[in-house]
Amino acid sequence: MKDHLPLNLQALDLDEPAGGLSSYPPFDRWDDWTEYDPARWPEKVEKHYSLIPTICFNCEAACGLLAYVDKDKMRVQKFEGNPAHPGSRGRNCAKGPATINQVNDPERILYPLRRTGKRGEGKWERVTWDEVLDDLASRIRLALQEGRKNEIMYHVGRPGHELIYNQRVLHAWGIDGHNSHTNVCSAGARTGYAFWHGFDRPSPDHSKARFILLLSSHLEAGHYFNPHAQRIIDGKMDGAKVCVIDTRLSNTASKADYWLSTWPGSESAVLLAMANVLLQENLFDREFVRRWVNWEEYLREEHPAKPQTFETFLEVLKQTYGQYTPEFAAQESGADPRMIVEVAREVGRAGSALSTHVWRNAAAGNLGGWQVARALEFLAVLVAAVGTPGGTAPSAWNKYIPTPPMMPPPPNAWNELMWAREYPLAFFEMSFLLPHFLKEGRGKLAVYFSRVYNPVWTNPDGLSWIEALTDESKVGRHACLTPTWSETAWFADYVLPMGHASERHDLMSQETHAARWIGFRQPVLRLALERQGKKFNFTYEAHREAGLGEVWEEDEFWIELSWRVDPDGSMGIRRYFESPFRPGEKLRIDEYYRWIFENSVPGLPQAAASEGLTPLDYMRKYGAFLVENDVYELHRKALKPEELRGCAVDPVTHVVKRNGAPIGVEIDGSAVAGFPTPSRKLEFYSKTLKDWHWPEHSIPGYIKSHVHRDNIDPAKGEMLLLPTFRLPTLIHTRSGNAKWLYEISHKNPVWMHREDAERLGVVTGDLVRVQTSIGYFVDRVWATEGMRPGVIACSHHLGRWRLKEDFGGERWSTALVDLKQVEPGKWMMRQIHGIQPFESDDPDSSRIHWEDAGVHQNLTFPVQPDPISGQHCWHQKVRVTKASGEDRYADVFVDTNQAHEEYRRWLQMSRTAPGPGNLRRPLWMIRVYRPTPESFYLPAK
């Protein structure tokens, strides 16, 4: 620590406190923790709290929270970090403590609402939960009985634990009805990783790395950024160097040892140039590549006439990637070729302790962005940094998903409104194309659920969503499950209040580091009241007792709805929602988690027993459990004799199979687990891509982006818009009800290099019009040296709006707008006013001092699906001009007819199923909410 000098040098003479600079209430005092009331200072007035753990829900990281529940008032006083949580280790970013804003939000929805006028007209009435549940159940039952399975859709943004809970719902109903946000988020990176090792995410071991290579602003805003940021700093404190490849000078880039400001879309060229340096200078791990890469298959398929030896493969490899010189990469990216070489050598020196990460960033922005993840993982493979201490593991190695009771079998169903034939390799559902699929008459929806998702605001081309959601011939009944108003909820038929992070049950596990853990999200007020001896059948009853209206939690909502869909059990649905302890009786939420914790989490029953607790009580007390620590190199795990009994080894591929299904691979005569790919090895060569009509992309390569320099004409005022970067204090649309966060962050200006600003004749604060292929938006400029010339950037977090003065949107964060269809398909949005103070039960609402709500840029983006990964390619070619006299700040214009033409243009890039054997999709690839194997095959003609 003496090497890191404090601002006040006298601090060096102080003794470090026991336990460092962190202090948490000891576990044995969580039931009755005492603090002095700060509002009564200087009097020392004690307040007694029950400290109850839960899980944050303001991003995907699932960090632990401790709710301080006032035992006298039975309300949450504050949220702090949970020191028992293995991922977040008691630390939170700004979004965690801001959960208290969301719980106490004076504008939150407390009772179910039903539309009374036309969709979007803003007329609502309060109804009972019985009315809601009976209506939805009758519509679902009728659709199922009439064989209209594909007319029921559940569309989720940020999942809780859907893979172990909501999957049981949809599979019990016998439908392929899960839709997600993933193809506007991370499908590009997932695809690139999956073609290598069969898993869809990276899990970097930053704290033990010698070199950390990031394609993101990861310290402040990347995926799992709080747990990862902690460990990046741990690694850096132990001597690791950091390289950031990011067009913007982000906070992370400013702290890095190396910053490469690349032209967006050129990142894979840079990474492959680094791979070329490793190959030409023999800085790679020959033995690891020989053992674990499918080089034999590559030579058999692509170079059958050459000697089938590893030396031949290395020769071909060096020849193939010799074209990616540092000078070529510099020409494509604008990066210094000397720095490319220097970083490559740092990668080589790090060896197996190279941690890497890309999530959205370049992989989500560009046509062919999935190859960025392929190229990044190529570096890890070359230096043997796969699942090693300090390396980068496949995600599933560092997650734990417990088995729940009574899982229904997968359905024999395939919904082409989500899994379209044109995109057979799409890593997740083609959700953002739904309005266009409906417009083309590919199907319709009887019941549409949206949950923690705001497609009108979040997705590209949101006005096409409004056109679809307001058409009752396309969407019969829309139930929006949300604790707050949103731009999408405004166009629903039901707005159904669901709980925030501290108001429901979920199980979470994320790949935050080289370990496996589970976190338990739980409704803290219900638990606090039950500790006082009160009993509740449903969580909403506890919320009503605590003054939170009738806010439900999703788990109980789906149990109740499923019982009403199949009231007598004749449809075979109800049995999956019956108690494992009381046969024939309705499942209770505590029974569900009791069964999981007693039967599906290794080590938990023993840990609980050592403290005289049941497993459920243990999780209610601590909120998290470390299942396994230091998880490394699972691909090397030897297959047990009983696993090998009855197996056969393919003499050519060395794949170990039982009953025709691969379970491992022989490496140098030893049968090991390997990876869940067809070869059970790391697939440098993807025969899947070749077989599914993309032979030119079967190995890691460089695909020129749709926003490549060649496609941008500066003489016409064309520039590249980078709209994907996050702000560390906000998260999509879920933070709009957090006053602390919006006080900090409420603007999203256009980042513009000073040279471009001078060329346009604008300075910081001036208005510019940014023209896309389907419309335009007007925003203010922020001139900065922290941006590459020719590129502008705008954060996607801001620009929230509402259509009514007093409700329909969080007034902490939304501007009042006028939205009109000036001609068929042509929409104009103009702000009436920005954020203003308002009267409410929260005195802070009258103290609002900020006016800016930002600009909603996503409305002006056409859908741009990558033909392989299915990822929406966010980056835009735009024309930037100084605003005219008629332009106003935050103006938005969109032509949805032109948006549909752009959809058709991108659709033409796809290469349609079937693949081999008349398959819709490769059987080996991950498929969320996977249906039966039979459903993967197209009907015979």
Side-chain angles (χ1 to χ4, degrees), residues 105-160:
D105 172 25
E107 298 196 297
R108 67 178 297 180
I109 300 165
L110 297 177
Y111 299 95
L113 301 174
R114 179 172 59 198
R115 170 179 64 89
T116 60
K118 295 180 180 179
R119 285 184 184 162
E121 193 175 4
K123 295 181 179 179
W124 302 89
E125 64 179 357
R126 177 178 163 181
V127 291
T128 68
W129 278 104
D130 281 333
E131 291 176 280
V132 172
L133 289 161
D134 286 342
D135 179 38
L136 294 174
S138 65
R139 291 170 180 270
I140 293 167
R141 185 187 315 113
L142 184 63
L144 295 178
Q145 290 173 338
E146 294 181 350
R148 295 182 284 114
K149 292 182 177 182
N150 286 349
E151 292 186 16
I152 305 166
M153 185 180 292
Y154 170 73
H155 201 165
V156 63
R158 174 53 52 203

Side-chain angles (χ1 to χ4, degrees), residues 255-367:
K255 299 293 185 183
D257 299 281
Y258 302 94
W259 172 44
L260 279 70
S261 176
T262 52
W263 184 269
S266 68
E267 293 84 358
S268 55
V270 171
L271 295 168
L272 293 175
M274 293 178 184
N276 183 33
V277 172
L278 295 177
L279 290 167
Q280 301 303 331
E281 298 186 7
N282 292 313
L283 298 176
F284 62 97
D285 189 318
R286 292 169 58 96
E287 190 62 11
F288 181 86
V289 173
R290 182 190 68 80
R291 287 166 58 86
W292 292 105
V293 170
N294 69 333
W295 59 269
E296 294 163 303
E297 182 180 21
Y298 173 60
L299 291 180
R300 279 198 309 273
E301 292 288 331
E302 300 300 323
H303 300 280
K306 294 184 177 182
Q308 303 290 291
T309 67
F310 183 62
E311 293 303 320
T312 300
F313 172 69
L314 292 182
E315 179 182 329
V316 171
L317 200 62
K318 292 180 178 182
Q319 290 174 350
T320 300
Y321 290 97
Q323 63 183 304
Y324 295 105
T325 63
E327 292 72 24
F328 169 78
Q331 180 182 344
E332 290 296 289
S333 68
D336 185 336
R338 294 168 299 179
M339 189 177 292
I340 293 172
V341 173
E342 189 173 345
V343 171
R345 290 171 178 164
E346 290 279 11
V347 168
R349 283 191 287 269
S352 62
L354 167 73
S355 69
T356 65
H357 200 271
V358 63
W359 198 235
R360 285 168 55 87
N361 193 275
N366 298 286
L367 177 68

